[in-house]
Amino acid sequence: MEFTLHYLGKTEKFSKKVMLSDLIENENQDRKYICAKVNNKVRELTYQVSYDADIQFLTLADNAAKSAYEPSLRYVIAMAFHNCYPDLKIKFTFNVSRTIGVFLTGSKQVANTAMLIRIRHEIDRIIQEDYPLKRIIVPNDEAARIYDKWGYQDKSDVLQYRPEKTVHLYECDGYLNYMYARMVPSTGYLKSYKIRLYTPGFLVSYPRPECGGQIPEFNESPTYGRTLRESHDWAKIVGVDTVSRINNEIIVGGSSEFINICEARHNRMLAELGQLIEDDISNIRLICVAGPSSSGKTTFANRLRVELLSRGIKPIRISLDDYYLRNDQVPLNEKGEPDLEHIEALDIELFNQNMSDLINGEEVTLPKFDFKTGTRVPGRTLKVGKDEPILIEGIHALNDRMTDSIPKANKFKIFISPQGQVNLDNHNPVSITDLRLIRRMVRDYQFRNSPAEETFSMWAGVRAGEFKWIYPTQEGCDYVFNSYLAYELPCLKKYAVPLLQNISKDSPYFLDAERLLHMLKFFVDMEDKWVPSNSLMREFIGGSCYEE
């Protein structure tokens, strides 16, 4: 039966199955095409087409290509460790500066320069040999036997939560592994990477679509890195560092107990934070809170206020949103639209003047931004006392330009973000960014009745703003509040899955929806009636005691 393929500006008819890689044999000598979209579904280049299709070949500048390149690179790194150190177990995490962390587990051997040289040499050798990555489909029970043989107990533990009855293993020169993702055709596609020693393990940089398919410049982030280590250590101690352990905690221990354990950690951090502020309250006049989208900033600011009130400290909340300039005064983005995330969209001079006057004991009439008219009107008139620090929260709250008239000693900076360290298994970490995206998607629907597609459509712009304005300000802050709750993905699942399933196959966001559904399916559903009314989770699912 004849079928028609549209690809790379061509239209051709075929009478028998054709492999995607054969269509670009002459155009892909430099391996720039990593995978392809076939009728809006991502396929490996080894996929054979036998039906009418529109085909888009993807490079590393495309998000979907990263979703094949990055897990394939993890595969080769795991293979290199197996070849060089067969008795050594490793664990991958997403880490600082958009890297993959590689850490040794259950071993007294430590990462060092000699190990780095040996591993790098073996990775390069595997890539140079250009071994094919062959997909092998096996039943779940056979996959379990293979995992046991290779010492992958962590992978066996996840099998019971897979709705599918088969597993797509990949074989490469005798090595077997599974990365829950589509893969590149052969190891020769993975020439772009950098690996560095980063005690107690290694960091691997790889091409990113937001960098045009190039490897981003490495930026040391000690504060962020320390928070990630603390998150991993806590998850490991409590026993919730993998999906199977989280599921087991819910099934065996019950939702109520698991929720309380996670909330207790937030309570402890808030108490610790409150004590730090109380100890230096004679100097602290401005408490600045910032973090990326869907970090739980609003609920956190409310809970911090209550924590401080319990210590006799009476913070005054002031919103940066009230300092927006008129739209005709705001810088334009690349689309020629007002860029409301740009710092110059705010009246920096007025904000500095108001904060300085308040700290100096003067009475100030604050502005109030009317979003309907796009103009500022007079707001509250305030005069703050010595026991009344000013609490500000917003995208630019940690940017020193917003408060350059305030002495550093008078500012206490807090960075908030969910920095969970959870894995499907040791070789497959769950993306922190995906966690925030699911949070925002659920919240947008719960409170604005916005479909998931609308959230997806804004996400790239949101992420670009975070890299430009938020992440550079996290280093040097006084406290990092990790807003991750280990129970949140089982809790969010029942809200997110219907939204994702409503995205049609011809939507430009279908691939993203498919990826998130693929991740959420491993988590068991969890009853959320025991989530406290003051929990950060309530900011996304509803029922918060702080809702207006």
Side-chain angles (χ1 to χ4, degrees):
M1 181 177 176
E2 195 172 66
F3 57 94
T4 303
L5 301 182
H6 304 279
Y7 67 98
L8 297 180
K10 304 175 184 177
T11 298
E12 293 191 51
K13 294 184 181 295
F14 297 85
S15 57
K16 59 181 180 179
K17 286 183 179 179
V18 59
M19 189 176 292
L20 291 175
S21 58
D22 290 341
L23 296 174
I24 54 171
E25 187 173 0
N26 296 326
E27 290 88 350
N28 204 29
Q29 300 300 317
D30 59 355
R31 309 289 178 90
K32 67 177 179 180
Y33 295 121
I34 303 302
C35 55
K37 278 200 294 187
V38 180
N39 290 345
N40 208 30
K41 189 173 181 66
V42 174
R43 299 292 188 182
E44 296 171 340
L45 293 183
T46 53
Y47 180 74
Q48 293 185 329
V49 190
S50 59
Y51 49 86
D52 293 343
D54 291 314
I55 301 170
Q56 179 187 352
F57 288 98
L58 305 175
T59 71
L60 287 170
D62 299 295
N63 271 312
K66 185 204 79 171
S67 298
Y69 191 95
E70 183 269 327
S72 299
L73 183 59
R74 272 189 278 119
Y75 181 104
V76 167
I77 294 168
M79 179 178 173
F81 270 94
H82 172 78
N83 292 349
C84 295
Y85 305 96
D87 297 325
L88 192 64
K89 302 294 183 185
I90 62 170
K91 185 173 186 176
F92 292 107
T93 66
F94 291 121
N95 216 282
V96 299
S97 196
R98 293 176 274 185
T99 62
I100 309 165
V102 188
F103 299 100
L104 315 183
T105 65
S107 172
K108 293 182 180 179
Q109 192 163 11
V110 296
N112 53 42
T113 302
M115 181 182 287
L116 172 64
I117 293 171
R118 186 176 179 187
I119 288 298
R120 181 189 288 140
H121 182 271
E122 179 62 8
I123 294 172
D124 290 342
R125 184 194 70 80
I126 294 170
I127 293 172
Q128 182 65 34
E129 290 291 340
D130 198 20
Y131 294 122
L133 285 158
K134 301 174 184 176
R135 185 167 61 175
I136 304 170
I137 302 175
V138 300
N140 284 354
D141 56 352
E142 185 177 343
R145 287 193 294 269
I146 292 172
Y147 289 158
D148 290 341
K149 177 183 176 182
W150 284 74
Y152 294 153
Q153 183 59 48
D154 51 309
K155 293 183 184 291
S156 292
D157 292 341
V158 182
L159 278 174
Q160 61 183 306
Y161 302 111
R162 296 184 77 250
E164 297 87 357
K165 296 181 179 180
T166 59
V167 174
H168 291 197
L169 291 169
Y170 284 82
E171 185 272 333
C172 180
D173 192 37
Y175 177 73
L176 284 171
N177 207 335
Y178 176 47
M179 295 298 181
Y180 306 89
R182 296 171 180 88
M183 308 288 275
V184 296
S186 63
T187 58
Y189 280 74
L190 302 168
K191 293 179 180 178
S192 185
Y193 82 96
K194 292 180 181 179
I195 185 168
R196 69 183 69 228
L197 187 65
Y198 194 79
T199 304
F202 307 95
L203 292 183
V204 181
S205 301
Y206 58 96
R208 302 281 301 200
E210 68 270 17
C211 299
Q214 302 299 311
I215 296 176
E217 179 182 350
F218 181 79
N219 294 309
E220 178 64 85
S221 305
T223 302
Y224 180 46
R226 184 175 64 252
T227 306
L228 289 177
R229 287 194 297 274
E230 290 171 354
S231 178
H232 176 265
D233 291 344
W234 178 83
K236 192 172 181 180
I237 291 169
V238 178
V240 291
D241 57 331
T242 65
V243 171
S244 61
R245 290 178 179 176
I246 289 174
N247 290 344
N248 187 68
E249 192 74 28
I250 296 169
I251 294 168
V252 177
S255 299
S256 176
E257 180 174 289
F258 186 34
I259 289 169
N260 286 330
I261 289 171
C262 299
E263 293 292 340
R265 183 166 181 256
H266 274 190
N267 293 338
R268 187 170 68 250
M269 285 191 288
L270 279 162
E272 179 182 53
L273 181 53
Q275 188 64 55
L276 288 172
I277 294 173
E278 182 180 1
D279 289 344
D280 196 29
I281 194 59
S282 60
N283 292 313
I284 297 171
R285 306 302 298 132
L286 202 61
I287 300 171
C288 312
V289 180
S293 175
S294 304
S295 292
K297 294 184 290 293
T298 301
T299 301
F300 169 76
N302 278 308
R303 290 189 64 175
L304 177 59
R305 178 176 175 273
V306 171
E307 175 66 33
L308 295 177
L309 285 171
S310 74
R311 298 169 181 270
I313 301 168
K314 304 170 183 177
I316 305 296
R317 290 189 65 180
I318 292 178
S319 174
L320 283 175
D321 287 352
D322 288 325
Y323 288 83
Y324 270 119
L325 297 168
R326 296 193 317 269
N327 275 356
D328 60 350
Q329 298 175 302
V330 172
L332 303 180
N333 60 22
E334 295 176 353
K335 297 179 180 179
E337 302 167 343
D339 185 357
L340 297 180
E341 294 192 348
H342 200 291
I343 192 169
E344 297 291 349
L346 299 171
D347 193 332
I348 301 171
E349 183 178 353
L350 178 62
F351 184 78
N352 268 281
Q353 184 63 54
N354 284 173
M355 296 306 103
S356 294
D357 291 345
L358 286 171
I359 289 172
N360 291 331
E362 298 179 29
E363 187 175 87
V364 175
T365 297
L366 302 175
K368 176 71 176 176
F369 193 82
D370 186 333
F371 284 90
K372 291 182 179 179
T373 63
T375 58
R376 288 200 303 256
V377 297
R380 296 175 294 167
T381 298
L382 293 179
K383 185 175 183 179
V384 301
K386 289 292 184 181
D387 62 344
E388 295 178 326
I390 301 166
L391 177 60
I392 62 170
E393 172 255 308
I395 294 174
H396 302 290
L398 301 186
N399 193 314
D400 284 328
R401 285 190 61 196
M402 290 303 306
T403 56
D404 60 5
S405 65
I406 313 299
K408 186 175 180 179
N410 294 150
K411 294 182 281 191
F412 191 92
K413 296 182 176 182
I414 304 168
F415 184 82
I416 176 173
S417 178
Q419 295 174 351
Q421 292 281 273
V422 60
N423 286 48
L424 293 177
D425 58 47
N426 284 341
H427 293 166
N428 292 277
V430 173
S431 166
I432 299 171
T433 302
D434 283 347
L435 183 150
R436 289 194 295 111
L437 176 55
I438 291 170
R439 278 184 173 189
R440 176 156 179 162
M441 184 186 308
V442 171
R443 183 185 65 190
D444 285 352
Y445 182 76
Q446 292 292 110
F447 295 99
R448 303 171 190 169
N449 200 31
S450 299
E453 284 187 291
E454 188 171 322
T455 304
F456 277 126
S457 70
M458 298 185 294
W459 192 242
V462 169
R463 291 284 288 152
E466 291 169 353
F467 283 119
K468 186 174 183 179
W469 299 113
I470 297 177
Y471 293 126
T473 65
Q474 66 180 307
E475 293 301 318
C477 62
D478 298 289
Y479 195 91
V480 177
F481 188 91
N482 184 356
S483 66
Y484 170 68
L485 291 158
Y487 71 79
E488 65 179 86
L489 285 172
C491 177
L492 291 166
K493 179 181 177 181
K494 70 177 181 181
Y495 297 95
V497 167
L499 300 178
L500 294 167
Q501 289 176 334
N502 281 337
I503 295 179
S504 65
K505 290 185 178 181
D506 59 355
S507 166
Y509 309 109
F510 175 73
L511 298 179
D512 294 309
E514 185 182 48
R515 175 174 51 81
L516 295 180
L517 284 168
H518 184 71
M519 181 263 287
L520 286 170
K521 72 182 180 183
F522 292 100
F523 292 90
V524 298
D525 294 316
M526 191 195 75
E527 177 58 60
D528 59 21
K529 67 179 180 180
W530 302 116
V531 176
S533 63
N534 69 341
S535 171
L536 268 76
M537 190 49 41
R538 289 291 176 190
E539 184 171 324
F540 306 100
I541 64 174
S544 173
C545 61
Y546 301 117
E547 288 177 22
E548 294 181 1

